[in-house]
Amino acid sequence: MKSSPIRTAAGLMLAALAALWVLPAPAAQVVRVGAAHFPPYTIRPENGADTGLLPELVAALNSAQSDYRFELVPTSIPRRFGDFKDGRTDMAIFENPEWGWKDIPHTTADMGLEDAEIFVAQNKPGRQQNYFADLKGKRLALYSGYHYEFANFNADPKYLAETYSATLTYSHDSNLLMVLRGRADIALVTRSYLFDYLLRNEKVRDELLVSQRIDQIYHHYAILSPKAPITGEAFGKLLQGLRDNGQMLKIFDPYKIAVVPVAHQ
């Protein structure tokens, strides 16, 4: 008994669909994201995995799609440039092109996020906001590797030490303690970090005078390698998806990091 053409075609179609069913799904492209200790964005404990806003953002990006798999690669504030140039990382997030990237080939994606760097001093009787107007003759506590606007973004430790009597550390906590103990006159602290610090240390809130003066507004960008498996445009679309579903606000608003309109690329 001969099979009808209709049955034969249907059988072939079912066989083709079955073959497609068993084919493995295309593997997600791995995007390696540099993770430098930069509280509250990345917090690297002595033992255990990184925590902070960067791991939260990466988890949200991975949950929202399957084309890319974002993975954190440990680095440091000073080493992140070399890791990027050597191809160890594909992206640096929460960056700004002004922070030492000018001579390194890259593209950018506006993240639509803003933070700030502010001045903090000991709250002494009679001390007012004009204390922050002039930094001359004051001992500064700074975060090593940061690019500060008041210093024309020159992050050279020797320059900062000689020009601004600066002590450089790798801890905002240490810098604030230096101020509280009188070992430094002014510390510069990321606003998001200070907000979190005061929530964790309410007893010292009245001991600190926080400046209305802002050293700089951090408008955050993603810095992408020309060889990265994702383009700036594609990454921007993924971030827009997180903005649309409320994830960006959920992650960053508790730290008073502003979710702002994205500039046209």
Side-chain angles (χ1 to χ4, degrees):
M1 180 178 176
K2 293 183 178 180
S3 300
S4 69
I6 294 177
R7 287 182 179 179
T8 302
L12 290 172
M13 185 177 293
L14 287 172
L17 288 172
L20 288 173
W21 184 263
V22 299
L23 284 175
Q29 297 187 76
V30 175
V31 182
R32 297 161 300 170
V33 182
H37 181 68
F38 177 26
Y41 295 92
T42 305
I43 302 169
R44 179 156 301 141
E46 291 184 7
N47 297 301
D50 287 349
T51 59
L53 298 173
L54 178 57
E56 284 189 50
L57 177 62
V58 164
L61 287 166
N62 287 335
S63 296
Q65 48 78 49
S66 58
D67 292 332
Y68 303 96
R69 179 71 187 175
F70 294 88
E71 295 183 355
L72 297 179
V73 176
T75 185
S76 69
I77 293 292
R79 200 177 70 233
R80 71 194 196 278
F81 303 108
D83 286 342
F84 186 89
K85 287 190 291 186
D86 294 343
R88 188 167 176 263
T89 59
D90 301 306
M91 292 181 66
I93 295 183
F94 306 123
E95 287 282 355
N96 191 295
E98 298 292 329
W99 298 346
W101 296 98
K102 288 184 177 181
D103 298 326
I104 301 173
H106 68 272
T107 58
T108 62
D110 186 349
M111 298 187 71
L113 296 170
E114 283 189 350
D115 201 347
E117 194 78 23
I118 54 180
F119 302 84
V120 182
Q122 212 177 79
N123 190 12
K124 293 186 175 182
R127 182 169 287 177
Q128 303 292 330
Q129 286 293 322
N130 60 6
Y131 183 74
F132 302 107
D134 188 358
L135 302 179
K136 291 180 181 178
K138 297 184 174 74
R139 299 164 300 163
L140 302 187
L142 307 178
Y143 201 109
S144 183
Y146 278 27
H147 295 74
Y148 296 101
E149 186 170 300
F150 78 87
N152 296 314
F153 301 106
N154 187 339
D156 178 62
K158 184 179 179 182
Y159 167 79
L160 293 171
E162 292 178 351
T163 309
Y164 296 99
S165 301
T167 299
L168 282 77
T169 76
Y170 288 100
S171 168
H172 284 312
D173 272 21
S174 296
N175 292 345
L176 289 170
L177 283 173
M178 288 176 65
V179 167
L180 288 168
R181 294 171 180 172
R183 293 170 51 206
D185 299 311
I186 294 176
L188 270 83
V189 184
T190 306
R191 183 176 61 195
S192 57
Y193 185 85
L194 181 64
F195 180 79
D196 180 59
Y197 177 86
L198 293 177
L199 286 177
R200 292 183 284 110
N201 300 273
E202 290 189 12
K203 62 182 180 181
V204 303
R205 182 183 295 270
D206 294 337
E207 297 180 39
L208 294 173
L209 177 66
V210 179
S211 70
Q212 296 172 2
R213 175 185 175 183
I214 293 175
D215 179 62
Q216 62 179 303
I217 296 289
Y218 291 157
H219 190 97
H220 286 307
Y221 293 83
I223 305 290
L224 295 92
S225 166
K227 297 180 180 180
I230 188 171
T231 64
E233 181 181 5
F235 185 67
K237 288 180 178 178
L238 295 184
L239 292 180
Q240 185 60 50
L242 297 184
R243 294 166 77 92
D244 293 342
N245 67 20
Q247 282 294 304
M248 291 286 275
L249 198 63
K250 181 179 178 181
I251 293 171
F252 295 103
D253 188 60
Y255 290 85
K256 305 304 178 186
I257 297 168
V259 180
V260 299
V262 175
H264 294 294
Q265 302 294 312

